Amino acid sequence: EADIYQTPRYLVIGTGKKITLECSQTMGHDKMYWYQQDPGMELHLIHYSYGVNSTEKGDLSSESTVSRIRTEHFPLTLESARPSHTSQYLCASSDTGANYEQYFGPGTRLTVT
Amino acid sequence: KNQVEQSPQSLIILEGKNCTLQCNYTVSPFSNLRWYKQDTGRGPVSLTIMTFSENTKSNGRYTATLDADTKQSSLHITASQLSDSASYICVVSDRGSTLGRLYFGRGTQLTVWP
């Protein structure tokens, strides 16, 4: 079973608050990803990282930011939460290679009121 | 435009019955195709991954097929169980970028009734 963790699992927060969603993996993977998923919709890549000090924006524009100071840790931050940020956020990691397996965390369900 | 389309959108079957889920894609250049199972409120879990040269791959009661010529894949579930109730997502990877871009379908929501 993949060892990738996300906290918190559920978060309800007011508009304007700063939040950080945590993601950690113990598999030593270089690549890590953040996806956003709304109910009944496909996953959208919002950020990814090839390794320490490497971060890139994904296909879906997001007001969030990420950092990668350690291999195992890839937190996502929203400086000022808005109701439009309400969604499920999924973190994933993978090894290198053409047919790499991508392992997903359990997700964080964010609700901004 | 690279896309992944899945059908049906939702499916209800009785426990013990078989079912087949479909996936059509237009992703090019093709690298591999994956099927994931996503339980409600959880992250996706990989079931199978197939490359261009593979036609069939099984994982227990799950059997995936791939026709790279017609760009179609199917996931067959045998002797369904209540725990099979989940969303099944087809994901296609391309070879056109270093990242190995993944294209996600919207999933088929399967409900197994007792």
Side-chain angles (χ1 to χ4, degrees):
Chain A
E1 188 172 334
D3 296 325
I4 180 163
Y5 309 98
Q6 289 185 245
T7 58
R9 291 294 318 282
Y10 305 92
L11 180 61
V12 180
I13 201 164
T15 297
K17 299 292 185 182
K18 177 181 178 179
I19 60 170
T20 296
L21 307 185
E22 302 288 349
C23 176
S24 295
Q25 51 97 3
T26 59
M27 296 171 282
H29 289 160
D30 286 327
K31 293 182 180 178
M32 295 190 74
Y33 316 79
W34 276 104
Y35 291 91
Q36 186 173 339
Q37 184 183 30
D38 292 320
M41 302 297 287
E42 63 268 47
L43 278 72
H44 291 284
L45 181 67
I46 53 176
H47 297 282
Y48 62 95
S49 168
Y50 286 123
V52 171
N53 295 325
S54 155
T55 62
E56 301 286 344
K57 289 191 178 294
D59 304 310
L60 183 67
S61 176
S62 174
E63 294 167 346
S64 59
T65 59
V66 293
S67 63
R68 190 89 182 276
I69 298 174
R70 304 198 313 267
T71 298
E72 63 271 21
H73 197 212
F74 191 39
L76 180 145
T77 298
L78 275 167
E79 291 293 333
S80 180
R82 294 206 300 268
S84 61
H85 296 140
T86 295
S87 189
Q88 167 122 331
Y89 292 85
L90 290 161
C91 180
S93 73
S94 72
D95 207 339
T96 55
N99 298 319
Y100 60 92
E101 185 63 77
Q102 195 162 115
Y103 297 95
F104 287 85
T108 293
R109 167 64 65 186
L110 173 65
T111 302
V112 183
T113 60
Chain B
K1 180 181 178 182
N2 289 321
Q3 286 186 309
V4 178
E5 302 287 342
Q6 292 188 243
S7 62
Q9 184 176 355
S10 62
L11 182 63
I12 300 174
I13 62 173
L14 295 177
E15 186 179 14
K17 298 297 185 182
N18 304 335
C19 66
T20 300
L21 314 180
Q22 301 291 341
C23 174
N24 296 333
Y25 63 92
T26 60
V27 176
S28 181
F30 174 87
S31 178
N32 57 66
L33 185 145
R34 309 141 188 253
W35 282 95
Y36 283 89
K37 177 187 179 186
Q38 184 176 23
D39 292 315
T40 301
R42 308 289 296 182
V45 175
S46 178
L47 295 175
T48 65
I49 178 170
M50 290 183 293
T51 59
F52 184 88
S53 60
E54 295 176 295
N55 301 119
T56 303
K57 182 163 279 190
S58 293
N59 178 1
R61 294 179 298 102
Y62 301 103
T63 299
T65 65
L66 173 64
D67 186 335
D69 292 330
T70 61
K71 298 186 177 181
Q72 296 179 324
S73 176
S74 66
L75 180 68
H76 186 73
I77 304 175
T78 304
S80 61
Q81 301 176 357
L82 298 179
S83 59
D84 291 333
S85 294
S87 179
Y88 292 83
I89 304 172
C90 177
V91 184
V92 181
S93 175
D94 73 6
R95 291 188 283 110
S97 65
T98 305
L99 179 64
R101 171 86 163 81
L102 297 184
Y103 296 85
F104 289 81
R106 292 188 176 184
T108 292
Q109 184 64 48
L110 175 66
T111 303
V112 181
W113 283 2

